[in-house]
Amino acid sequence: MLNFETVRSHIGGHYTLRTNDPYLISFDLDLRRARHQGVYLVELEGENGRKYLRVSTPVGPVVGMDAERCLRFNWEQRAGFLAISDLEGSPYLHLCENRPYDILSLQELERLIRELGVLGDQLEQALSVEGDAY
């Protein structure tokens, strides 16, 4: 079974950590065309004590976002959901996924990081070019 320290060790061996706090790590995921996407991993605990790993990537500032379109996006997605979190003190839209440790493998973690990183970058590009692309 994975835990946060196992995740930290694995991720630290494959990526350069930007943040390395007790229950939060972040790094830049290299993408095509010399693009990078920030990825954040956080440990969460459910009401029943079950531990989860949240994988998230910032998409864009919340200003001007259409909440109904964001909720429609969430409904249509098979993996990942949009949520709002602070990024350096400003509300920011993040693409997230929560996975319980007891069903998460390192291979699945890598696949999830890649999938969310690529989709997050596509959403970020669409928002920056087209305004509110949702």
Side-chain angles (χ1 to χ4, degrees):
M1 179 196 315
L2 294 183
N3 59 40
F4 199 76
E5 290 311 311
T6 305
V7 169
R8 179 191 318 276
S9 177
H10 175 76
I11 295 298
H14 290 83
Y15 305 96
T16 302
L17 298 180
R18 286 186 307 152
T19 305
N20 191 5
D21 292 340
Y23 296 100
L24 164 70
I25 56 177
S26 71
F27 59 93
D28 286 329
L29 178 65
D30 292 330
L31 302 170
R32 293 185 206 177
R33 294 175 254 141
R35 293 190 56 82
H36 300 53
Q37 187 70 19
V39 176
Y40 295 81
L41 303 175
V42 177
E43 182 170 277
L44 305 172
E45 187 172 332
E47 293 176 9
N48 62 356
R50 191 177 189 191
K51 299 214 182 214
Y52 295 81
L53 182 68
R54 171 175 289 157
V55 179
S56 70
T57 185
V59 173
V62 173
V63 177
M65 293 287 168
D66 181 346
E68 181 179 345
R69 286 178 149 174
C70 290
L71 291 173
R72 286 185 190 277
F73 174 88
N74 282 348
W75 183 259
E76 294 170 0
Q77 286 301 111
R78 62 175 182 76
F81 60 91
L82 294 174
I84 295 175
S85 181
D86 282 345
L87 185 64
E88 297 177 2
S90 298
Y92 227 77
L93 194 64
H94 280 247
L95 182 63
C96 308
E97 182 74 32
N98 298 331
R99 293 288 170 87
Y101 284 117
D102 54 1
I103 64 167
L104 185 64
S105 68
L106 292 175
Q107 295 80 12
E108 174 65 8
L109 175 59
E110 286 292 339
R111 187 200 64 74
L112 184 59
I113 288 169
R114 172 70 45 193
E115 184 175 354
L116 290 182
V118 168
L119 181 55
D121 183 58
Q122 291 169 349
L123 290 171
E124 184 178 333
Q125 288 182 65
L127 287 172
S128 66
V129 170
E130 301 172 19
D132 184 4
Y134 297 102

